[in-house]
Every structure is written in structure tokens, then in C-alpha cells.
Amino acid sequence: MAWNMMARHFHLPTFQWAGTHSRNYITLLPLEKLAFLSTASNGTVEYAVNPREKDLHRLKHNIPTDLIPYFKSPIFPRLEVDTFLRNDHPIKGNTFLQESFTLGSVNRSDFWNQRRPMLVYWGEKELVSFLQPGVLNNGYDFAVAQFFCVQHENMILCGINFATDGENTQINLDRLKEGQIYYEGFETQVPVG
């Protein structure tokens, strides 16, 4: 499952894993992180990226043979659709990939600093650019901001609202008190929403 997800979302022109990302510490994937693809493909995938010496001790992985084309000669344009949570209100991701850019979104999420509910990459591996919308409170990602989206190929319609019972900066750690936030420089609490 992991190789399938990685292969279908790998964007060869930018050397990035196309969004959306439910948890990610960095938005731009460093090239050296991809060195493991060469060893995992027994040299079939070669990106002229040398593995870092400190990573050489790690377990060797093998890319399933049927997924190698995603890393060497992907078909563009294409739309990848994934269901991440199956329930009465499923969480679904859409990723549109073409040569010049990739656009990914999830139908519902939040703006916690490790989420990428909508993400666009463009450029080439040496000079990649990205667009990552966000909502800030006092200069930090505002986790209480809720993201809702519908995507059809390269078109997106999004909306943002604010949960009065959510968390400020960290999900599950700093719940808003009485649905209010404090703005630096103001003496009073401000209601959310």
C-alpha cells in the first residue's frame, strides 16, 4: 500500500510527492531523501542522487515491479483519487498531475502546521516552487481553521470556516477557551467565527 501511494503521487518533473499531505514536517522534499529509490529499484530508477552516508544502514526496500513506470515514465495528465477515511463523511483526496505542475487537495481538513490540505508544485527538480494556502493566528498556523474543498482535475472550489470547539496551534493540545482567541496587542478575547 505504501509503495502504491508513493508511486502514484510521485511527480517526476519536480521530484516531489504531490499533495495532499495529512502530516508533513517539510513542504519541499530534499533531493537526497529520494536516493533510496535507486537502491529500492535495484538501479532501475536512477536520479543521480547519492544516498547520505548516515542512511546507508537502513533496511533495503524493493519497489514492486509494476510501480516502476510511475518513477521513470509517468503518464500525464492524470487524476489520482484516494479515500483516506471511509465513514458517513469520508475523507477523500484528489491529485491532478501533469508535466508542468501538480495540484492536490483533500475534501475536508484543518490548517494544523503539519497538514497540507491543498498543495501545488511546479518547476523542475533544481528549482521547485509551491503554493500552500494557510491561516495564521499570531504568526502561527491556526489549527481551528477548517478547510473544505471540491476538486475536478485542475479546478478547485474551497471554503474555510472556524470551529469554535477546536484547537489554536496544535490539534488535541491547546483547545480554545469558550471559542475565543487572544490577539497579541489586544487586551480582550475575540470570538472565533
Side-chain angles (χ1 to χ4, degrees):
M1 284 174 45
W3 276 117
N4 181 280
M5 181 67 75
M6 286 192 293
R8 291 184 308 105
H9 292 83
F10 182 70
H11 188 239
L12 183 58
T14 60
F15 276 52
Q16 298 297 314
W17 263 291
T20 184
H21 303 155
S22 65
R23 189 162 188 178
N24 191 346
Y25 294 99
I26 54 173
T27 303
L28 286 174
L29 186 66
L31 290 177
E32 65 270 7
K33 294 283 187 186
L34 297 174
F36 79 95
L37 293 175
S38 292
T39 55
S41 69
N42 292 320
T44 304
V45 173
E46 186 54 57
Y47 295 137
V49 178
N50 296 320
R52 298 178 306 175
E53 190 170 315
K54 67 180 183 177
D55 291 335
L56 294 176
H57 71 283
R58 296 179 186 252
L59 292 175
K60 302 292 185 246
H61 297 279
N62 292 308
I63 300 172
T65 308
D66 62 315
L67 299 177
I68 295 287
Y70 286 102
F71 296 102
K72 290 188 67 154
S73 54
I75 297 170
F76 297 122
R78 73 176 192 275
L79 179 68
E80 298 290 346
V81 179
D82 299 285
T83 301
F84 302 118
L85 180 65
R86 294 178 188 354
N87 62 17
D88 292 340
H89 304 285
I91 297 178
K92 294 186 174 198
N94 289 285
T95 306
F96 182 74
L97 300 106
Q98 69 175 37
E99 291 246 6
S100 58
F101 73 94
T102 176
L103 169 63
S105 69
V106 67
N107 64 325
R108 61 187 176 95
S109 186
D110 55 57
F111 282 101
W112 176 41
N113 71 342
Q114 293 179 25
R115 300 236 199 272
R116 310 294 186 265
M118 183 180 132
L119 189 55
V120 184
Y121 289 110
W122 67 93
E124 298 173 355
K125 72 177 181 177
E126 292 85 11
L127 186 60
V128 178
S129 297
F130 69 91
L131 170 69
Q132 173 192 329
V135 176
L136 301 178
N137 175 28
N138 290 326
Y140 195 81
D141 295 290
F142 196 27
V144 77
Q146 304 291 300
F147 177 85
F148 298 91
C149 180
V150 176
Q151 179 176 342
H152 174 71
E153 295 181 349
N154 63 345
M155 297 177 287
I156 291 184
L157 175 64
C158 302
I160 297 173
N161 70 357
F162 300 90
T164 58
D165 63 345
E167 290 77 24
N168 186 11
T169 59
Q170 178 66 266
I171 57 173
N172 302 322
L173 292 181
D174 62 344
R175 186 168 294 279
L176 295 178
K177 294 178 182 163
E178 299 175 11
Q180 298 182 344
I181 58 173
Y182 174 77
Y183 283 109
E184 290 179 10
F186 289 94
E187 296 299 320
T188 59
Q189 296 286 323
V190 178
V192 173

